[in-house]
Amino acid sequence: MTRKFELLWGSIVFVHVLLLLKTTFFPYPELFVYPYLTKIGLVPYKQIFDQHFPGLMFFPLNFATLGITTSDRFRVVQILLIILSHLGLYAILRERKVSKVMILSGAVLYMFWQGYFEGGTLWIESILVPLLLWLFYFLTKAIAEKRLRYYITSGIVLGLAAITKQIVIPLGAFLSLYLLLNVKNKKQLFYFFLCAGIPVLVMLAYVAGRGIVKDFFYWAGTFNFTAYHDMGRKYPTIKDIISTLFVSVPAIAGLFMLLKNQKLRGEGILLCIFFFTGFLYAYARFDFVHMQPVIPFAILSFILGALRLKRKYLIVTAFLLFSTIVGMRSYWRNWGAETKFFAKEDYLVFDRVKSYTLPGSSVFAFATYPYIYPITNTHPAGNVFVFEFPWFMKIAEEPILNGLKADPPVVIVRDETAMTDSYNLVSYMPKIAAFVDRYYVVAEKIGPTEIMIKR
């Protein structure tokens, strides 16, 4: 029976992976560009303007230095993250001696809702999901068994999650408060906080060692509450809110059932912390991919809460049927197995840029193809780079223009029609646009992309 169950569970994970491989894949360009630029010597936050914590993008050990530099290799990363997330869900439910039917139900629910909330997109939240699941697993083990090694492990995982994205800090703050109120062994708490702080201290030591303390705190802190807050915010639509209610309403109902139970109240509070802080990832810019950390904790809350009901199997079956219909429609809409921004036309642009340049040449991506640099083995003009969103260019247009003047690029690739939200990107860079029009001419055009060379 156990072997049959494991085969069934493994089959669900396999189908999940297969569905993702058959649908559109969108690895965020930052995952390619930032590690590559760091590897060739550009200094994060001083020459690479970005508001995220370093994670696997800016540290010396990053995706590029690990050899993860192509869309196919990032596909492998995506699959590994999905498997680790499924294992995390499995371990949490198995630890609570949940029935095999409920464990399989959890895997099916995760397969469909992970896909529905832009599961084909690979971004920082994709990395956070397994980290947060295993953090929950080890932390609840630590509380239940009062073993120091679990406090140490959970502290390290929390620290790793925090240096991956700073919005994990509120989660860490709530968890710290919960532990201070509920754990009497101060030695165990000390080691938890110490181990959680080690990755953060390593990050700060790296920042100080590179001499970028001021730059780091501006871009990772001040910028997020000023220019980005004013221009980069993206609010959910009515449709987005309804879609979010599909999973949040069952989750909240499950949490209510857990909190009602005296014996399960402590775990219910922990699940509340993980579930509700998950919405903070989508606070600044609401996109479904930012909801990924909410999904597994919504499923855990629903299943663990449903177990308290007499008609639990009927309720879980009904939600499974609904999830299957919604989830399969989502996969079907994205069917095609293509990689976004790595289509045949995109490679034509990359090849034409290579024909004008040599490895190490200066190139400028103007409102298009930010990952042209790692693909063509070139560097941005003046060794200064930013993603050319209006909220960045409001601050960074002058440094980028100075880079163009000091190190005129061999080739410029431009798309004058490029839009983000309701902003035309080129129109938010008038000084750069004037420089490009004055000194460069269109040599050829592929789709909306112009390949420009010096006059």
Side-chain angles (χ1 to χ4, degrees):
M1 180 65 181
T2 301
R3 185 165 184 176
K4 186 184 290 186
F5 160 72
E6 289 172 348
L7 284 172
L8 278 170
W9 181 84
S11 298
I12 294 168
V13 177
F14 176 77
V15 170
H16 189 176
V17 170
L18 192 63
L19 285 170
L20 289 173
L21 289 174
K22 292 293 183 180
T23 50
T24 302
F25 178 47
F26 176 33
Y28 264 50
E30 289 91 329
L31 301 175
F32 294 86
V33 180
Y34 292 156
Y36 168 78
L37 296 179
T38 302
K39 184 180 178 182
I40 65 171
L42 273 69
V43 181
Y45 310 108
K46 186 178 286 291
Q47 294 174 295
I48 309 169
F49 305 133
D50 182 72
Q51 80 262 47
H52 298 99
F53 273 12
L56 280 170
M57 296 190 293
F58 290 133
F59 280 128
L61 182 68
N62 59 46
F63 285 121
T65 56
L66 289 170
I68 304 168
T69 56
T70 65
S71 58
D72 289 339
R73 290 179 183 179
F74 276 106
R75 267 283 199 189
V76 174
V77 170
Q78 179 196 38
I79 292 166
L80 289 174
L81 291 171
I82 290 297
I83 294 171
L84 284 170
S85 299
H86 270 290
L87 285 170
L89 271 173
Y90 174 91
I92 291 167
L93 292 172
R94 195 68 183 263
E95 184 69 22
R96 282 142 188 81
K97 297 183 170 46
V98 171
S99 70
K100 292 172 182 176
V101 171
M102 289 297 185
I103 293 175
L104 294 175
S105 298
V108 172
L109 288 172
Y110 185 61
M111 172 175 66
F112 286 127
W113 289 113
Q114 189 277 335
Y116 181 83
F117 285 92
E118 293 184 14
T121 301
L122 182 64
W123 183 223
I124 295 174
E125 281 78 9
S126 314
I127 301 168
L128 285 177
V129 172
L131 283 173
L132 297 179
L133 279 167
W134 285 102
L135 169 60
F136 183 85
Y137 172 80
F138 286 119
L139 188 58
T140 51
K141 285 274 283 184
I143 295 168
E145 299 183 18
K146 299 179 174 61
R147 295 194 179 182
L148 183 59
R149 69 172 181 264
Y150 292 130
Y151 279 102
I152 291 172
T153 306
S154 57
I156 291 171
V157 176
L158 175 59
L160 291 174
I163 65 171
T164 301
K165 193 160 189 174
Q166 56 264 53
I167 202 64
V168 173
I169 292 172
L171 168 65
F174 282 112
L175 290 179
S176 298
L177 180 61
Y178 177 89
L179 292 173
L180 286 169
L181 293 174
N182 292 279
V183 177
K184 295 179 181 178
N185 191 319
K186 302 309 176 187
K187 178 183 175 182
Q188 291 176 336
L189 282 182
F190 170 77
Y191 278 102
F192 171 80
F193 291 126
L194 176 65
C195 292
I198 287 172
V200 178
L201 289 173
V202 170
M203 177 184 73
L204 295 175
Y206 168 72
V207 167
R210 296 303 302 268
I212 53 172
V213 173
K214 184 178 178 181
D215 305 283
F216 169 76
F217 280 105
Y218 173 76
W219 286 106
T222 305
F223 173 79
N224 286 314
F225 295 102
T226 52
Y228 185 70
H229 180 272
D230 295 338
M231 298 182 70
R233 294 290 297 277
K234 182 181 177 184
Y235 295 97
T237 63
I238 297 297
K239 183 180 178 181
D240 293 333
I241 293 170
I242 293 171
S243 296
T244 303
L245 290 175
F246 288 162
V247 290
S248 58
V249 169
I252 291 169
L255 289 169
F256 178 74
M257 295 306 299
L258 291 173
L259 294 172
K260 275 180 62 179
N261 188 303
Q262 184 76 28
K263 292 181 180 178
L264 299 173
R265 190 166 295 161
E267 184 157 287
I269 292 171
L270 276 174
L271 270 173
C272 281
I273 292 172
F274 277 86
F275 173 71
F276 286 109
T277 57
F279 288 93
L280 294 175
Y281 303 106
Y283 170 72
R285 279 186 68 79
F286 188 94
D287 287 307
F288 275 174
V289 68
H290 300 312
M291 291 289 294
Q292 284 291 321
V294 173
I295 306 308
F297 292 101
I299 292 166
L300 285 171
S301 300
F302 168 72
I303 289 178
L304 294 175
L307 291 173
R308 316 268 67 83
L309 301 172
K310 290 181 180 179
R311 298 184 178 180
K312 53 183 175 289
Y313 290 109
L314 179 62
I315 291 169
V316 171
T317 300
F319 190 48
L320 275 170
L321 288 172
F322 173 72
S323 302
T324 301
I325 294 167
V326 174
M328 284 309 298
R329 284 188 64 200
S330 174
Y331 280 117
W332 181 252
R333 283 198 299 268
N334 294 291
W335 205 256
E338 67 177 16
T339 301
K340 200 170 181 181
F341 300 125
F342 287 89
K344 184 177 179 181
E345 186 175 280
D346 302 317
Y347 279 102
L348 287 175
V349 174
F350 303 151
D351 289 340
R352 293 309 299 151
V353 170
K354 286 180 182 178
S355 72
Y356 289 99
T357 61
L358 296 171
S361 293
S362 174
V363 169
F364 180 56
F366 189 24
T368 186
Y369 292 118
Y371 35 83
I372 196 79
Y373 309 110
I375 298 296
T376 60
N377 195 23
T378 54
H379 70 86
N383 281 330
V384 183
F385 176 83
V386 70
F387 275 86
E388 294 161 351
F389 300 126
W391 43 92
F392 279 126
M393 297 316 296
K394 186 177 179 181
I395 310 297
E397 185 178 17
E398 206 66 44
I400 299 297
L401 179 61
N402 291 337
L404 287 167
K405 292 176 179 178
D407 180 25
V410 177
V411 173
I412 292 176
V413 288
R414 178 177 70 178
D415 181 357
E416 293 187 293
T417 66
M419 302 283 292
T420 292
D421 297 342
S422 58
Y423 300 111
N424 176 274
L425 298 186
V426 171
S427 68
Y428 272 84
M429 297 177 269
K431 295 177 183 178
I432 292 174
F435 175 89
V436 170
D437 285 333
R438 182 175 180 181
Y439 295 106
Y440 287 81
V441 63
V442 176
E444 49 188 299
K445 190 171 183 179
I446 300 172
T449 305
E450 298 168 325
I451 298 174
M452 308 180 74
I453 58 174
K454 293 177 185 176
R455 289 185 181 275

